[in-house]
Amino acid sequence: MKIGILGSGFIGGTLAKTLSAAGHRVKVANSRDPRTIDADVLSTGAQAVTKEDAVADADVVILSIPFCGITALAPLLAGLPAETVVIDTSNYIPARDERIEAIENGQADSAWVAERLGRPIAKAWNSIYSVTLKEMGRPAGHPERIAAPVAADRDRDREVTMALVEDSGFDAYDAGTLADSWRQQTGSPCYCTEVTLADLPEALAAADLARSRRRRDLMFAVYQERFELGTNPGRDFIVGLSRILNAA
Ligand SMILES: NC(=O)c1ccc[n+]([C@@H]2O[C@H](COP(=O)([O-])OP(=O)(O)OC[C@H]3O[C@@H](n4cnc5c(N)ncnc54)[C@H](OP(=O)(O)O)[C@@H]3O)[C@@H](O)[C@H]2O)c1
């Protein structure tokens, strides 16, 4: 497929690499000049382009930029054909992002994004820690393959997104509509806990929005403390913390 990725950081950069390696034609953009995109991101064939070039003629557009910047992409995405599959990887964290009343009042993060963009989107990869995404992808059928939920309102968006999640090395699971996607948001039982396909349905069913929010805020406070101390929490720390906070 022809894939345009907006954002070449931890998530977008890894997806550019893995989806190119899986045989897709990937174009990737950041917020600056394409020449500033890391060579490693392009090492499996992705092409560094401007934002406009990334979305032009794409079958799929992946949004992998900070949550607070996504609504500003609306004019860029407005000209896309209705059938283009737009996938959101983002997470709303009020301690980091601008506080959004609609989400505070219960709207799912990506339902709010879809409303602001004025078009259907799918949500995927948001529940996978960046290091997990980079290092823990496994071939289909591998016993330790980690699973990722996919939420979407249109069948084709769901099918295409699930196929790309599989291509990125993770088992895809149909988690329902965007309105249901609060179950895969930050702090939920499937968030950064590296669950397998066997355990993912139970993790989604166990989600409780008020508890997820409390866990999200606790997690973010711990991350912040680490960042302020000048240390970057590794995968063991992030996954361990998420699992402890979600232990029954
Ligand atoms: N990090 C994680 O573990 C993780 C896990 C799951 C989901 N997520 C979500 O995935 C998204 C990306 O996270 P990340 O960790 O990859 O972020 P990141 O490493 O900070 O990278 C963000 C990227 O977005 C680019 N960008 C910012 N505004 C842009 C714009 N208007 N147009 C095009 N590119 C733009 C930045 O460009 P420059 O390089 O020019 O600054 C950068 O390449 C976020 O919404 C995050 O919540 C993150």
Side-chain angles (χ1 to χ4, degrees):
M1 303 198 91
K2 288 179 282 182
I3 301 174
I5 302 181
L6 300 180
S8 62
F10 291 115
I11 300 295
T14 295
L15 290 177
K17 272 183 85 172
T18 54
L19 295 177
S20 295
H24 297 286
R25 284 170 54 196
V26 178
K27 292 181 179 176
V28 58
N30 64 7
S31 70
R32 297 165 286 150
D33 187 309
R35 286 170 295 188
T36 61
I37 293 180
D38 197 303
D40 183 53
V41 168
L42 311 175
S43 61
T44 59
Q47 198 186 343
V49 297
T50 62
K51 282 181 277 189
E52 291 73 17
D53 280 350
V55 304
D57 200 28
D59 303 310
V60 176
V61 172
I62 299 175
L63 311 179
S64 200
I65 75 167
F67 187 85
C68 55
I70 292 183
T71 56
L73 296 176
L76 179 71
L77 304 178
L80 296 183
E83 65 270 20
T84 306
V85 177
V86 176
I87 310 173
D88 177 25
T89 72
S90 73
N91 290 304
Y92 165 66
I93 298 178
R96 175 195 66 186
D97 304 314
E98 182 190 338
R99 186 181 155 92
I100 296 166
E101 283 314 314
I103 296 178
E104 297 296 333
N105 291 333
Q107 188 173 27
D109 299 0
S110 289
W112 184 85
V113 170
E115 218 171 75
R116 289 297 164 290
L117 296 181
R119 60 160 301 129
I121 59 171
K123 185 180 189 74
W125 291 295
N126 76 293
S127 62
I128 306 278
Y129 178 48
S130 61
V131 180
T132 304
L133 186 70
K134 187 173 182 183
E135 297 179 358
M136 298 304 291
R138 296 288 181 270
H142 191 286
E144 288 162 16
R145 202 181 205 220
I146 294 163
V150 171
D153 293 339
R154 299 191 303 191
D155 291 343
R156 186 166 176 278
D157 290 347
R158 179 178 303 103
E159 282 158 25
V160 169
T161 305
M162 288 180 72
L164 293 178
V165 167
E166 296 276 344
D167 287 348
S168 71
F170 296 82
D171 282 327
Y173 180 77
D174 177 359
T177 64
L178 274 194
D180 294 329
S181 66
W182 61 269
R183 293 183 180 276
Q184 69 192 68
Q185 286 175 185
T186 319
S188 67
C190 74
Y191 180 80
C192 292
T193 51
E194 298 192 349
V195 288
T196 62
L197 193 57
D199 294 329
L200 183 52
E202 196 182 330
L204 289 165
D208 171 305
L209 186 57
R211 292 191 72 192
S212 295
R213 286 175 168 177
R214 286 198 295 275
R215 289 160 175 155
R216 172 199 66 198
D217 294 343
L218 286 166
M219 280 179 203
F220 193 72
V222 174
Y223 300 167
Q224 274 302 104
E225 188 191 63
R226 293 270 155 157
F227 292 140
E228 281 159 19
L229 289 171
T231 53
N232 200 0
R235 178 180 149 243
D236 286 349
F237 184 91
I238 297 280
V239 174
L241 176 65
S242 305
R243 286 180 173 170
I244 286 168
L245 286 174
N246 277 291

